[in-house]
Amino acid sequence: MSAARIVVVGTGYVGLTTGACLASLGHRVTCVDVDEAKVSRLSAGRVDILEPGLAELVTGGIAGGRLSFVVGAREAVREADGVFLCVPTPMGAGGSADLRAVEAVTAEIGAVLPAGCALITKSTVPVGTSKRIRAMLGREDVPIVSNPEFLREGTAVSDFLNPDRIVVGSDTPGAARWVGDLYADLGAPVVVADAASAELVKYAANCFLALKLSYVNSIAELCERLGADIDLVTEGMGYDRRIGRTFLKPGPGWGGSCLPKDTSALVKVAESVNYDFRMLTSAIDENIAQRDRIVAKIAGACGGTLAGARIGVLGLAFKAGTNDLRDSPALAVSSVLGALGAEITAYDPAVDTGIDGMTVVDDPYQVAKDADVIVVLTEWAEFKHLDWTVMADAMEGDDVVDTRNLLDPRTVIDAGLSWQGVGRPRVAGRKRVTVS
């Protein structure tokens, strides 16, 4: 198709990635935000989000005249062919999705949208949102399209440009096909659906991943109780093409900007039609239980009590490759440790801001100073390459709790430390000798 005039409302993770990538496909994109300082930084090519390839796409789009940034959506949309809503839909009261930002933008631009301009929800919204927007607009000449995103933080640009599928849904089929054609150069299969089905796809996919993660954490707990090794168990499972290898790594629980709010929102959607989604609520409960099991594991390494224990934490972001702290399981675990009286010193290569209840340092070796236990909570590759002999020499205690099964246990125990992961046997190192 020929280049389309696109407006993207919202320059957060999804909006900025969407705008920059669509511009790279040849479309003329205007990204809108309400934050004047942020718009100024982006117009100068300064990207605050840590995401491989994103800054380069932004600067390239600006230089090529295909990407611009402005404050305020009302004027920006007047000549648009399509408007993407990429605004936050956080967890609201009671667990439902908070749609106030979607509604505010719809109210702002509704009267000035050109006839035939597609209004496209890329934000994750519950089933029925397209109808809700249609009622708010009160216009039959503006098609509403659902085009959910499937972007993983840390690989968002790659995911956008190399998608497994494109999902578009609308009760105006021609508009859905037009939105699908925006992605034609990517060569991905396009699923054209009704609006309700498209809105449900994102929730169904994310919640399935949450189920899978909670399941593998439960199997890891069984491994510890039965003397099995979760790495070997998941290797055996992963060869089954019906199951696959992804999302089979145990950890301190799932988190981030999507899974917690999406699981909660789908439970609320199910309740609205009198369906008790027990499988999903069990996965949410299991996720909380996994955090508590990790805390208990760390307490055990401290001799049974966390009061006054000095804990060195490696990793605060919810996953490696991002600086996103939203619903981070690392922060959730650290918060409980602090509430139980532990003194926490933490390091994360992408986090340099202060966090209440802990000391954040800029050198990973500083977390080891006088630490009773070191805990790996985010799977940053650089932690595998630390000099664990230096870490051991700085520590007061002898234990490393590796909640990501990231480290080579042999490297840790050769340094004279004990290593324990998740779903794997604890391995004790040789007794360290302190030379006075």
Side-chain angles (χ1 to χ4, degrees):
M1 68 183 301
S2 58
R5 296 167 297 181
I6 300 297
V7 172
V8 176
V9 182
T11 60
Y13 214 99
V14 173
L16 188 57
T17 301
T18 297
C21 288
L22 285 174
S24 77
L25 296 177
H27 302 297
R28 301 186 67 83
V29 180
T30 301
C31 290
V32 174
D33 207 287
V34 295
D35 186 334
E36 292 186 17
K38 186 178 185 182
V39 167
S40 179
R41 291 195 302 274
L42 288 170
S43 297
R46 298 199 299 273
V47 176
D48 298 330
I49 298 170
L50 178 61
E51 179 61 46
L54 183 56
E56 292 81 358
L57 281 183
V58 169
T59 55
I62 294 171
R66 299 181 306 277
L67 180 64
S68 60
F69 298 89
V70 301
V71 176
R74 188 175 176 87
E75 293 303 315
V77 305
R78 289 182 181 273
E79 296 183 355
D81 299 315
V83 176
F84 283 84
L85 299 183
C86 299
V87 294
T89 53
M91 188 187 304
S96 298
D98 184 343
L99 297 178
R100 284 179 294 179
V102 171
E103 293 169 347
V105 174
T106 301
E108 178 185 359
I109 66 177
V112 298
L113 286 169
C117 173
L119 185 56
I120 308 152
T121 56
K122 190 164 274 292
S123 302
T124 302
V125 295
V127 176
T129 301
S130 291
K131 290 184 177 180
R132 189 169 176 175
I133 293 174
R134 163 73 61 215
M136 284 188 65
L137 281 178
R139 294 181 57 178
E140 294 299 323
D141 60 344
V142 174
I144 314 300
V145 181
S146 174
N147 176 216
E149 52 86 13
F150 301 98
L151 307 179
R152 298 167 296 170
E153 293 193 39
T155 59
V157 170
S158 177
D159 290 343
F160 192 103
L161 297 177
N162 302 279
D164 297 320
R165 77 292 200 195
I166 305 295
V167 176
V168 287
S170 179
D171 296 331
T172 308
R177 289 191 292 271
W178 181 83
V179 173
D181 287 344
L182 295 174
Y183 303 90
D185 289 348
L186 301 180
V190 178
V191 179
V192 178
D194 59 275
S197 296
E199 289 167 342
L200 186 55
V201 166
K202 176 61 185 291
Y203 283 109
N206 272 3
C207 292
F208 179 80
L209 297 177
L211 287 165
K212 198 172 180 182
L213 287 169
S214 285
Y215 178 79
V216 79
N217 280 333
S218 297
I219 294 297
E221 178 65 14
L222 278 181
C223 285
E224 292 189 14
R225 299 187 183 203
L226 298 172
D229 187 322
I230 189 64
D231 284 3
L232 298 176
V233 172
T234 54
E235 181 183 3
M237 292 171 63
Y239 281 109
D240 189 325
R241 286 173 292 181
R242 299 168 300 174
I243 297 173
R245 297 181 179 278
T246 59
F247 284 75
L248 282 183
K249 289 189 69 67
W254 39 264
S257 62
C258 292
L259 296 191
K261 73 180 184 69
D262 290 354
T263 50
S264 178
L266 189 56
V267 167
K268 300 304 290 187
V269 167
E271 288 177 357
S272 73
V273 290
N274 298 315
Y275 177 66
D276 182 6
F277 206 152
R278 286 174 290 177
M279 183 181 296
L280 188 53
T281 56
S282 294
I284 296 170
D285 292 342
E286 173 60 26
N287 196 49
I288 297 170
Q290 180 67 2
R291 178 200 65 193
D292 294 340
R293 286 194 290 265
I294 295 297
V295 170
K297 190 185 293 284
I298 297 166
C302 293
T305 181
L306 288 163
R310 294 183 294 273
I311 309 294
V313 167
L314 292 173
L316 293 169
F318 95 93
K319 65 182 286 190
T322 176
N323 55 359
D324 197 342
L325 297 173
R326 289 175 292 178
D327 278 302
S328 167
L331 284 185
V333 169
S334 297
S335 177
V336 175
L337 294 175
L340 293 175
E343 300 173 12
I344 301 169
T345 302
Y347 167 79
D348 188 289
V351 178
D352 57 6
T353 58
I355 298 174
D356 290 344
M358 67 180 71
T359 300
V360 178
V361 296
D362 60 6
D363 183 339
Y365 292 99
Q366 291 179 24
V367 307
K369 182 175 173 55
D370 299 326
D372 296 307
V373 177
I374 289 178
V375 184
V376 178
L377 287 172
T378 309
E379 70 282 17
W380 288 99
E382 73 173 67
F383 298 155
K384 294 191 290 187
H385 306 298
L386 294 175
D387 187 329
W388 283 93
T389 300
V390 173
M391 299 284 279
D393 289 343
M395 290 178 67
E396 182 69 25
D398 300 306
D399 282 275
V400 175
V401 177
D402 182 0
T403 72
R404 299 286 186 168
N405 292 349
L406 175 73
L407 308 176
D408 178 358
R410 175 56 58 184
T411 299
V412 175
I413 64 175
D414 283 350
L417 300 171
S418 294
W419 177 92
Q420 56 179 316
V422 175
R424 298 184 64 191
R426 180 178 183 274
V427 185
R430 63 177 183 272
K431 189 69 176 178
R432 287 188 289 144
V433 177
T434 302
V435 179
S436 58

